[in-house]
Each structure stands twice: as structure tokens, then as C-alpha cells.
Amino acid sequence: MLFDLKVINSVLDQLQDERGIPRERVREAIEAALATAYKKEYGKKGQIVRVKFDSETGKTEFSQVKIVVDETKVIPEEEAEKMRAEEKERDLKDERIYFNEEHHIMMEDARKIKKDAALDDEIVFPLEAKSDFGRIAAQTAKQVIIQKIREAEKVSVMNEYGARQGEVVSGTVQRVERGNLFIDMGRATGILPYEEQIPGERYRQGERVRAYLYRVEETPKGVFLKLSRSHPKFLHELFKL
């Protein structure tokens, strides 16, 4: 799973310039994807894997994180074995955890590495770098990158149009459904409901439309902009242009 740095940096620049997604967010998506692929291919149950990726040099560092715990937070092994043997469910009020050496490290051991280690601190251990991932792990990594970029783009769009709420915006009519207009705003879809339109107006696909942006909504399907041409503030804002 080797990276072509020229391609990676070109993509980072393109996403930042065209979609407003900071390079840092995309780099974080790549790191999350590599961590997911590593854990799927080489990881152990409960293991926390983190990755640092340098887009300038291509250097990739893998590490394992363990959470510091002590006796008060851990169910003793004998008690844990007895519960498993009896298939006994834990009391929901019991906040103690099952110790997993891949996920936890006891306070005594943590302080041998970090003298001032405290409960819930993270102790980081280097892992052997890997670049050879199987097909399933690579596919999973790709899905993680796509998902992370979508999330970052949604945040970017919310920030951009959230700052423009209360302004007159313009877009192109995509389609009309049950009297409601769906308008292409570039990075988001605007909705001009039938009741927010001016009576008697007719709109054609591809026509340029101005409207008042009165609400920005985040949904599982993306960011939608609620528009109005009958809002009391529409004319007021229009004359300010």
C-alpha cells in the first residue's frame, strides 16, 4: 500500500482548493485508514493503533497505545475467569473492566516507562511499520478515507453556508418535485419549498434563481439549504446587494 507522494499532495491541494477541506483533515483520514488496515491485517483484539503520516516525506510511523489502569479499575483475573466459566453477566453498576494486555497497562508498569503516569494516561509503544496489506484491509482503508473526507466536506459546507445564513444566495434549478424546487448551490443542494415561493412565479430547469437562505440543515444525506423568496427579509436583503 505504497503512496505516490506527488499524487497524494496533488489530491490534498485539490480537495483544499475545490472543496474547502483542509490538508490536515485529509491527512488525518489517511492516518485513520492506515491504522484501520494495520489493525485488520496485523492487529490483536482490543489493540489501539495510531499512525503518523508525513505527506512531504512519505514517512509512516505506527504505534500502539495502552491505557493506564490500576487494581481499583480492573476485575481480578480469578474473578473474571469464574464469571466467564459460569457465564455470569456483570453487574451494570460495576464500573470495573476486564484487563486486556493489548489495551491496558497497569500503573506499576506504566511508571517504569513514564514516572508521572496517572490513571487513564496513554502510554505509546512503537510498532513495526507495514506497507503490505491484504485486499480486504486495503478496501477497508479506502472506505475509511472516503467516509472521513465526506465528513470533513460536510463540516466545511456547514461552516461556509452557516456563515451565510440570513443572506440572499443564488443557484441553478435542478428539478421540481411536487412544487418544491431543488437548486444546485455548488457545494450543497438548496430547497425552495412551494410555500416559500412567490405566487404565480414559474421556474425552468437550468434557470438561475436568487433566494433568502433562512436555514442550514445537516442530514445523513448531506447538507441542505432551506430557501425562501417570500420571506419578509428577502426584499430587504435583495436591495442591499
Side-chain angles (χ1 to χ4, degrees):
M1 196 171 176
L2 298 175
F3 291 104
D4 184 323
L5 290 180
K6 188 176 289 186
V7 172
I8 285 290
N9 283 295
S10 175
V11 170
L12 293 177
D13 290 338
Q14 185 177 1
L15 288 172
Q16 181 165 277
D17 295 341
E18 296 181 6
R19 299 194 190 181
I21 304 174
R23 289 173 62 95
E24 181 69 13
R25 297 285 81 78
V26 183
R27 185 183 60 76
E28 289 173 359
I30 293 172
E31 291 176 343
L34 286 171
T36 299
Y38 189 103
K39 188 173 179 181
K40 197 169 191 69
E41 194 78 10
Y42 306 104
K44 299 175 182 177
K45 186 176 181 180
Q47 194 175 45
I48 302 172
V49 176
R50 289 188 185 156
V51 177
K52 282 189 177 181
F53 172 67
D54 188 328
S55 61
E56 299 301 322
T57 65
K59 184 179 180 181
T60 306
E61 295 180 355
F62 293 83
S63 59
Q64 177 178 0
V65 176
K66 293 187 179 183
I67 309 300
V68 178
V69 297
D70 66 9
E71 291 78 3
T72 65
K73 298 194 71 173
V74 175
I75 297 175
E77 186 58 31
E78 289 183 5
E79 183 181 342
E81 286 184 3
K82 184 178 179 181
M83 291 173 68
R84 284 192 284 264
E86 296 176 355
E87 297 184 353
K88 184 179 178 181
E89 292 187 5
R90 284 175 55 191
D91 185 340
L92 295 177
K93 295 180 181 179
D94 188 350
E95 296 182 351
R96 295 177 303 167
I97 59 174
Y98 290 116
F99 183 81
N100 179 341
E101 63 179 6
E102 295 296 337
H103 189 96
H104 306 110
I105 182 170
M106 297 302 293
M107 178 77 77
E108 181 182 353
D109 296 324
R111 285 184 172 168
K112 292 176 183 177
I113 301 169
K114 182 184 176 185
K115 290 183 179 180
D116 60 347
L119 278 176
D120 298 322
D121 276 0
E122 295 182 346
I123 304 297
V124 180
F125 300 87
L127 289 172
E128 181 184 355
K130 301 286 186 180
S131 60
D132 182 21
F133 298 102
R135 181 181 61 82
I136 295 176
Q139 183 63 29
T140 301
K142 180 180 177 181
Q143 291 170 353
V144 170
I145 289 178
I146 292 172
Q147 180 61 30
K148 292 289 185 181
I149 288 177
R150 283 176 178 166
E151 291 172 1
E153 184 171 20
K154 186 181 288 188
V155 170
S156 175
V157 172
M158 285 292 294
N159 290 339
E160 177 183 341
Y161 286 102
R164 299 188 65 188
Q165 189 167 310
E167 297 180 5
V168 171
V169 295
S170 62
T172 305
V173 176
Q174 283 182 324
R175 65 186 189 278
V176 181
E177 289 184 7
R178 298 178 181 178
N180 301 314
L181 263 65
F182 287 79
I183 300 174
D184 180 5
M185 305 296 294
R187 301 183 62 207
T189 298
I191 301 176
L192 181 58
Y194 177 77
E195 61 272 16
E196 296 292 341
Q197 299 170 24
I198 297 175
E201 284 191 339
R202 295 290 181 269
Y203 308 93
R204 298 184 303 276
Q205 189 174 5
E207 182 178 354
R208 195 79 176 165
V209 175
R210 281 182 173 179
Y212 179 75
L213 174 58
Y214 66 90
R215 190 185 307 149
V216 180
E217 292 185 349
E218 181 179 1
T219 75
K221 293 184 178 180
V223 178
F224 289 92
L225 313 178
K226 289 299 183 73
L227 307 173
S228 174
R229 284 180 59 82
S230 61
H231 196 286
K233 292 185 178 180
F234 175 56
L235 283 178
H236 178 265
E237 292 296 322
L238 197 60
F239 283 123
K240 287 169 61 177
L241 297 177

